[in-house]
Amino acid sequence: MRIVYPVLPVAVGLLMLGWAGPSRAQDCDQECARAPHPKTVPAICTKPADSKTRPVTGVEAMPATTTDAVRDEFNASSDKIRIVALLSPMCPGCQSGHAVVGRILRKFSSPELQAILVWEPMRGDDSPEAATEQAGQVRDARIWQGWNGNKNVGDLLGKTLDIHDIAWDVYLIYKPGIKWEGQEPPRPTFWMHQLEGLDPKLLLCVDPTRLSAEVAKLLDHSKEGPHGD
């Protein structure tokens, strides 16, 4: 996602007059690490809608999922390395992050890797149909995914990550052995995001290869065995 620097007085005025509050998607096709990261409301994608973000029609709706279902899948695959992503199907930034996950799955064919993708309505044009269409851009038997219309998973994960808002456009990695035993999901082994107001060193759009590198480390460790032998 591309950052638009507020160099014009009008843009500066708009930023000062009310684009402030909880986290929103970062717009960072260009060096977003250098840009300021104010917290903003509402949680909306900053890039204007284009031909790829128009309402989707005539597509089968993605099946709904619940917090319990996500927890069950997370724990059922606890012997694997898990990539967990919370995504808005119509936000270009989330679409870009979804592609990063796809590249990781293509790079590592290991059956010890699992992806859990939770799609949620963070934009007005998000829908189960849009989630189905975007999900079709990345196909892999190791993906488990569903539509969380009430955003309960994002709400719980936001508390886990100390975002103080619904978590979305976030990309988490869990090493094998971690289980979701309490009400909130466990802290990830590593995570990245594309949100304003959070650690700019963890912006996926600045260093998309880092997520892949962290997965590689865990896969290498897994090959060594639990005791490194």
Side-chain angles (χ1 to χ4, degrees):
M1 291 184 282
R2 177 175 55 84
I3 278 289
V4 179
Y5 291 89
V7 295
L8 297 177
V10 173
V12 173
L14 287 173
L15 288 171
M16 295 177 64
L17 284 175
W19 290 359
S23 46
R24 75 172 181 184
Q26 181 65 275
D27 187 13
C28 50
D29 282 345
Q30 300 176 356
E31 305 169 277
C32 54
R34 299 182 183 176
H37 299 277
K39 291 196 173 184
T40 53
V41 267
I44 58 172
C45 184
T46 58
K47 188 172 181 179
D50 56 22
S51 60
K52 293 183 179 180
T53 61
R54 292 171 183 166
V56 176
T57 58
V59 177
E60 183 178 352
M62 176 176 287
T65 191
T66 64
T67 301
D68 288 342
V70 175
R71 181 191 294 113
D72 289 346
E73 177 60 26
F74 184 90
N75 290 335
S77 55
S78 63
D79 59 335
K80 301 179 181 180
I81 298 160
R82 286 145 293 173
I83 303 173
V84 178
L86 273 64
L87 304 163
S88 156
M90 298 297 276
C91 175
C94 290
Q95 292 172 359
S96 176
H98 183 221
V100 171
V101 173
R103 288 195 293 272
I104 292 173
L105 292 172
R106 288 194 298 273
K107 182 176 181 179
F108 304 108
S109 59
S110 172
E112 297 182 13
L113 183 60
Q114 173 80 8
I116 298 174
L117 308 182
V118 179
W119 300 90
E120 51 187 354
M122 301 305 297
R123 286 175 48 115
D125 48 358
D126 284 335
S127 67
E129 292 79 11
T132 295
E133 181 167 279
Q134 179 59 34
Q137 302 300 312
V138 178
R139 299 182 182 277
D140 193 290
R142 296 168 294 170
I143 294 176
W144 182 97
Q145 56 194 335
W147 173 256
N148 187 226
N150 57 18
K151 298 179 279 191
N152 284 352
V153 178
D155 182 53
L156 289 175
L157 197 54
K159 296 174 183 176
T160 296
L161 299 175
D162 298 321
I163 293 176
H164 307 295
D165 195 10
I166 295 171
W168 68 301
D169 211 354
V170 294
Y171 308 84
L172 294 71
I173 299 174
Y174 289 88
K175 67 181 181 180
I178 296 177
K179 290 192 175 182
W180 182 345
E181 296 177 331
Q183 180 181 2
E184 296 174 14
R187 293 284 302 183
T189 305
F190 178 78
W191 70 290
M192 300 186 79
H193 65 87
Q194 296 186 125
L195 295 172
E196 293 183 356
L198 303 183
D199 189 347
K201 295 179 181 178
L202 296 179
L203 279 166
L204 183 69
C205 53
V206 172
D207 187 6
T209 62
R210 186 176 179 187
L211 199 68
S212 177
E214 296 294 332
V215 169
K217 289 179 186 178
L218 290 177
L219 285 171
D220 288 343
H221 180 74
S222 179
K223 292 176 183 178
E224 293 173 356
H227 304 292
D229 47 38

